[in-house]
């Protein structure tokens, strides 16, 4: 189901009239649903191949496949739609057993309120999943746009997680004479800091990450692999990388370091 569309329900019942009756219980409770009816395993196979269900209602009857068999069939198609089992009776111990077996619920035919309340819970979960997916898609798009801007930036930018590099753009790699992205990934950020100021940087980073302090800029000496020390301004900001939280670091070289400044811009 796409956002804004009706929920699609697969109803396993002996007749289409019985399926329609169950669908009407949900509609009368305010749910907008479309449904497919299936009365046997072949019908279920056809239904799920035509359109994936959001929720499955599995009735009970002598001619109907057992709920366990329906559950196995859905798993074979890698479908995770919640399944509500409807039986003549639903004593508490059987309800508990059904939930332990992976069913969303077990309810009785004579409790229509129980049916629509159970369905309402599953529908709410589906809506939340849709919202989460939409948020993740938006975040991923934002990350991609941000990543593109950083790659084309003239500033030296890196992402760190737990004190280790997870990404650096080309100006950053040039600044520290790093040849490939693989060479920088997993490298401690402290390796880029002058040894006499590593404690200063460590304390600043911890304070920033622990309290999200408003002070996010640090004047500090860095060091490159050749042992050359240069003064820089380091700016920190919260960021995400592939959905994981991390810290963005922008390094701006002081004007007095003309050779390094020229190096990262060429």
């Amino acid at each position: 189901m796409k956002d804004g569309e009706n929920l699609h329900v697969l109803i396993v019942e002996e007749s289409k009239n019985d399926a329609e009756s169950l669908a009407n219980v949900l509609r009368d409770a305010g749910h907008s649903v479309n449904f497919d009816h299936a009365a046997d395993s072949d019908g279920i196979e056809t239904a799920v191949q035509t359109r994936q269900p959001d929720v499955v209602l599995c009735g009970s009857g002598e001619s109907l496949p057992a709920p366990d068999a329906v559950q196995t069939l859905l798993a074979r198609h890698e479908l995770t739609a919640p399944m509500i089992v409807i039986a003549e009776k639903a004593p508490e111990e059987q309800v508990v057993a059904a939930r332990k077996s992976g069913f969303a619920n077990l309810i009785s035919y004579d409790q229509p309120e129980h049916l629509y309340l159970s369905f309402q819970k599953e529908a709410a979960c589906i809506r939340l999943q849709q919202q989460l997916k939409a948020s993740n898609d938006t975040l991923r798009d934002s990350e991609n746009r941000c990543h593109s801007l950083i790659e084309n930036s003239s500033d030296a930018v890196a992402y760190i997680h737990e004190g280790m590099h997870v990404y650096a753009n080309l100006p950053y790699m040039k600044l520290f004479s790093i040849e490939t992205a693989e060479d920088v990934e997993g490298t401690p950020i402290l390796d880029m800091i002058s040894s006499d100021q590593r404690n200063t940087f460590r304390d600043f980073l911890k304070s920033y990450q622990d309290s999200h302090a408003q002070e996010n800029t640090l004047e500090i000496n860095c060091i490159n692999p050749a042992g050359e020390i240069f003064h820089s301004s380091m700016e920190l900001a919260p960021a995400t990388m592939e959905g994981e939280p991390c810290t963005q670091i922008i390094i701006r070289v002081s004007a007095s370091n003309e050779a390094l400044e020229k190096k990262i811009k060429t």
Side-chain angles (χ1 to χ4, degrees), residues 1-4 126-142:
M1 177 194 68
K2 295 180 180 179
D3 190 23
I126 291 168
R127 302 293 184 194
L128 286 174
Q129 289 169 357
Q130 286 181 331
Q131 292 171 14
L132 178 60
K133 182 181 182 303
S135 296
N136 286 337
D137 289 345
T138 300
L139 175 61
R140 195 156 40 245
D141 289 343
S142 296

Side-chain angles (χ1 to χ4, degrees), residues 204-213 215-216 236-238 247:
F204 178 78
L205 179 62
K206 185 176 187 304
S207 174
Y208 174 80
Q209 292 179 334
D210 288 350
S211 61
H212 300 289
E215 181 55 50
N216 67 336
L236 277 57
T247 301

Side-chain angles (χ1 to χ4, degrees), residues 56-60 67-68 83-87 90 98 103-108:
V56 178
L57 302 184
C58 184
S60 301
D68 288 345
M83 187 163 83
I84 300 171
V85 180
I86 310 170
F103 299 109
N105 211 342
L106 170 65
I107 62 178
S108 62

